[in-house]
Amino acid sequence: MSDAKRSDLTRGILFTDEYQLTMAQVYYRLGLAEKPALFEHFYRHNPDYGQHQAGYCIFAGLDPLLSWMQEERLDEDELEALRSQKSRSGKPLFDRDFLEYLRRHGSFEGLSLKAIAEGRVVHPYVPLAMIEGPLLQAQLLETILLNRLNFETLIATKASRVREAAGKSTVLDFGIRRAAGEAGNAATRACLIGGADRSSNVGMSHVLGLQAAGTHAHSLVQAFMALGMSELEAFRAFAEVYPDDTVLLVDTVDVLESGIPNAIQVFEELKRKGHQPVGIRLDSGDLAYLSIRAAQMLDKAGFPETAIVLSSELDELVIWQIHTQIRQEAPRYGVDADSLINRLVFGVGTRMVTSWGQPALGGVYKLVAMYDGGSWKPAIKVSESIEKILNPGQKRAWRIYDDRGLASADYLTLAEEDPRTEPTIILRHPTDPGKQRRLKQNQCTFELLHEEVFRGKRLFDPLPLEVLRQRRKADVERLDPGVRRLVNPHEYHVSLSPRLWTLKTQMVEGLNPNRP
């Protein structure tokens, strides 16, 4: 098999776990392959980065998944790869009739998918996606769905926290070089949904309709100096080629004694030629202190609007600390702290695209119901850990807003329930039987969270990036400030209806009457 064909196997339906296929053959052999099933994708915990925690997540990755589901089906190369697998006895692992079945049905055209809109705020235990259709097809979707949705949601959440910390400052994604291979493209997309304004990733920026962001590296200055020239000459060369886009990296030699003075000299030359310099970049040292001194020097030279780009191991806490230090120290140097903060640009790389401190979301894909005998039969998974016990059956998810218009809770009900018709709403904690609260109908408004997005094919064209960004912005603004905190955020309430709680309790007791 050629390398090109081998590469294709890593992007199609065989981008999956072996047990999806072994289970699929069992379903086929027992006549269950086309039995209607209902799976849910959800996660149990918001990211915990160690010193700080997220109070919510941003849902991302849905649009690429829908396109992949619409386009992919098992081809001859993939079937040949399955034919080559052997059991321990040396016999084919997958039978000929099963592979022939996969040839005819190895796609996702039998599935329908309901999901929360991409870009929105999401919370633990609430299904991000509900997948309904033939058991075999739904099972084959698990790995790729988890791979795509978990990763982009994780990165978009980190980017949203960086956005929160940066305030009005511009945020640039500089992370492609530190991302995990081709996942760098997914990471860039997630960063841009989550709050980054632009990215250094040229290809993905173009796909998403943005101008890529970037200046030059230390190597430009180093090359000039190695050839007997100077930092000033390197700056001049860059400015000559890009007179309207000049951002100069000023920390190759000495920031305050060389870099900024040389940059100012080049900026003055640009100004005399009718061009407006864009800014400088700092990539090392005490970024808050150097930003203050840079602003002081640039202001004195007549460049008060010139941007100051900061990079080097930034994340939400470092940005928060930079802002805090600037507010404390800037007045000593005659620099207005607010003006300086507003001109800052943060280039965030490694710690955003790797979700520094929390490398995986831990989202799961669980069977919650099977259709049999004319109705849906709830399914449950019991665990020694109470938080891992499933919320069974067909469900709907609602977002409850309080009289301030802020999101107060996400509420899971059985599919036939409508809390808008109940005078009093009882919210049960999903894992703690002793916790519940009551709301009066006149104290809140409800929003149904899921919409159908796939039924054999995707049901809408890919959405512009700006639509996804606006969803994130609107949802974050409707969170209580305590939930948005970067450190020790308030726990957002996710609750079950009494009927769902009762169903869950009865099913657990039915499986194990002695369980407390």
Side-chain angles (χ1 to χ4, degrees):
M1 185 181 294
S2 70
D3 289 341
K5 289 183 178 179
R6 288 182 188 277
S7 177
D8 289 341
L9 297 183
T10 67
R11 293 182 173 89
I13 292 179
L14 295 194
F15 182 65
T16 190
D17 292 296
E18 179 78 346
Y19 77 0
Q20 311 294 6
L21 291 155
T22 55
M23 283 190 290
Q25 182 162 236
V26 172
Y27 297 150
Y28 169 75
R29 192 62 61 211
L30 297 180
L32 300 175
E34 297 181 24
K35 196 82 169 173
L38 178 63
F39 286 81
E40 290 179 350
H41 168 232
F42 62 93
Y43 69 98
R44 297 187 179 102
H45 301 284
N46 288 321
D48 185 336
Y49 306 100
Q51 294 179 317
H52 50 108
Q53 307 78 32
Y56 61 91
C57 280
I58 301 297
F59 184 38
L62 180 63
D63 195 85
L65 174 69
L66 297 180
S67 293
W68 184 90
M69 289 175 63
Q70 179 170 278
E71 295 164 4
E72 288 299 328
R73 64 170 48 248
L74 278 166
D75 63 20
E76 186 55 40
D77 290 332
E78 291 168 311
L79 291 168
E80 182 60 33
L82 296 180
R83 289 189 195 99
S84 71
Q85 293 201 31
K86 305 296 182 182
S87 70
R88 291 178 183 271
S89 66
K91 296 179 180 179
L93 186 64
F94 298 110
D95 296 334
R96 183 178 302 176
D97 59 336
F98 170 64
L99 294 179
E100 184 58 34
Y101 180 87
L102 286 184
R103 183 194 301 278
R104 300 193 308 271
H105 300 284
S107 70
F108 303 106
E109 60 188 12
L111 297 182
S112 66
L113 191 151
K114 294 180 180 178
I116 296 175
E118 188 173 16
R120 297 205 62 179
V121 163
V122 290
H123 301 284
Y125 300 105
V126 178
L128 307 186
M130 300 172 173
I131 300 88
E132 181 181 327
L135 177 58
L136 185 148
Q137 290 186 21
Q139 191 72 68
L140 288 180
L141 182 62
E142 176 180 5
T143 299
I144 186 66
L145 181 145
L146 291 175
N147 177 273
R148 300 231 176 176
L149 300 188
N150 284 351
F151 179 70
E152 285 206 35
T153 297
L154 179 77
I155 304 304
T157 301
K158 188 70 167 181
S160 181
R161 291 170 58 77
V162 170
R163 173 78 274 157
E164 288 280 283
K168 295 181 180 179
S169 300
T170 298
V171 174
L172 305 177
D173 158 42
F174 281 178
I176 186 174
R177 64 183 61 193
R178 301 292 173 81
E182 292 184 10
N185 287 324
T188 293
R189 182 178 184 275
C191 286
L192 292 169
I193 291 171
D197 295 282
R198 290 167 62 193
S199 173
S200 64
N201 184 335
V202 178
M204 186 53 69
S205 294
H206 180 76
V207 167
L208 296 174
L210 295 178
Q211 175 75 27
T215 56
H216 68 83
H218 295 104
S219 54
L220 178 75
V221 176
Q222 291 175 281
F224 271 71
M225 294 173 65
L227 295 172
M229 293 177 279
S230 66
E231 180 184 58
L232 178 59
E233 288 174 293
F235 287 175
R236 279 178 173 151
F238 190 86
E240 183 177 347
V241 177
Y242 306 106
D244 298 309
D245 301 278
T246 300
V247 179
L248 300 174
L249 179 58
V250 297
D251 68 343
T252 306
V253 181
D254 185 299
V255 173
L256 299 179
E257 298 298 323
S258 174
I260 296 178
N262 284 333
I264 288 173
Q265 185 171 338
V266 171
F267 290 169
E268 289 171 341
E269 293 167 0
L270 282 171
K271 192 174 182 179
R272 287 194 292 271
K273 296 176 181 177
H275 301 286
Q276 183 65 37
V278 177
I280 63 168
R281 179 160 75 96
L282 299 164
D283 191 49
S284 60
D286 184 337
L287 296 179
Y289 168 74
L290 291 175
S291 295
I292 294 168
R293 294 299 308 277
Q296 183 187 42
M297 297 168 71
L298 290 166
D299 290 352
K300 184 177 179 180
F303 299 101
E305 306 298 325
T306 303
I308 299 172
V309 182
L310 306 182
S311 54
S312 181
E313 301 304 322
L314 298 179
D315 64 11
E316 59 268 52
L317 279 198
V318 174
I319 291 171
W320 180 27
Q321 291 163 347
I322 288 171
H323 279 185
T324 301
Q325 186 177 337
I326 286 174
R327 293 189 188 282
Q328 292 172 344
E329 293 188 11
R332 301 179 198 170
Y333 296 89
V335 173
D336 181 77
D338 289 332
S339 296
L340 170 52
I341 288 172
N342 288 338
R343 74 198 285 189
L344 293 180
V345 175
F346 293 102
V348 188
T350 304
R351 298 193 177 200
M352 188 157 64
V353 300
T354 64
S355 184
W356 193 268
Q358 178 69 58
L361 181 65
V364 295
Y365 184 93
K366 298 298 182 182
L367 179 70
V368 295
M370 291 289 296
Y371 192 81
D372 186 53
S375 65
W376 284 99
K377 311 298 184 184
I380 194 165
K381 172 187 176 292
V382 178
S383 170
E384 290 301 315
S385 174
I386 191 170
E387 66 180 14
K388 289 191 174 183
I389 298 176
L390 286 181
N391 296 314
Q394 278 188 304
K395 293 182 286 295
R396 293 203 285 182
W398 309 79
R399 185 153 294 168
I400 303 176
Y401 297 95
D402 62 20
D403 53 11
R404 301 172 297 168
L406 298 182
S408 175
D410 281 10
Y411 188 51
L412 299 180
T413 71
L414 296 177
E416 63 269 21
E417 292 186 84
D418 188 341
R420 295 170 296 188
T421 64
E422 302 171 10
T424 300
I425 299 94
I426 301 173
L427 293 83
R428 299 293 304 261
H429 192 279
T431 61
D432 188 337
K435 289 183 179 180
Q436 61 176 281
R437 64 174 176 145
R438 294 172 179 263
L439 293 175
K440 297 292 186 183
Q441 187 67 241
N442 59 7
Q443 294 175 321
C444 53
T445 56
F446 292 85
E447 177 191 16
L448 196 57
L449 288 178
H450 293 92
E451 60 181 350
E452 190 172 25
V453 296
F454 190 91
R455 194 188 314 120
K457 62 180 181 180
R458 56 179 305 150
L459 300 181
F460 59 91
D461 292 332
L463 295 173
L465 174 64
E466 192 55 35
V467 171
L468 308 183
R469 286 170 149 176
Q470 287 302 318
R471 285 175 179 167
R472 173 199 55 79
K473 184 174 184 292
D475 266 9
V476 170
E477 288 176 350
R478 296 189 78 176
L479 287 173
D480 188 278
V483 177
R484 296 169 65 173
R485 282 199 303 260
L486 294 180
V487 179
N488 295 324
H490 174 70
E491 183 179 353
Y492 181 86
H493 291 172
V494 175
S495 304
L496 309 185
S497 72
R499 288 180 60 187
L500 177 54
W501 172 264
T502 299
L503 172 64
K504 179 178 182 178
T505 303
Q506 290 175 343
M507 292 188 71
V508 171
E509 291 175 349
L511 290 172
N512 186 355
N514 298 319
R515 184 184 180 92

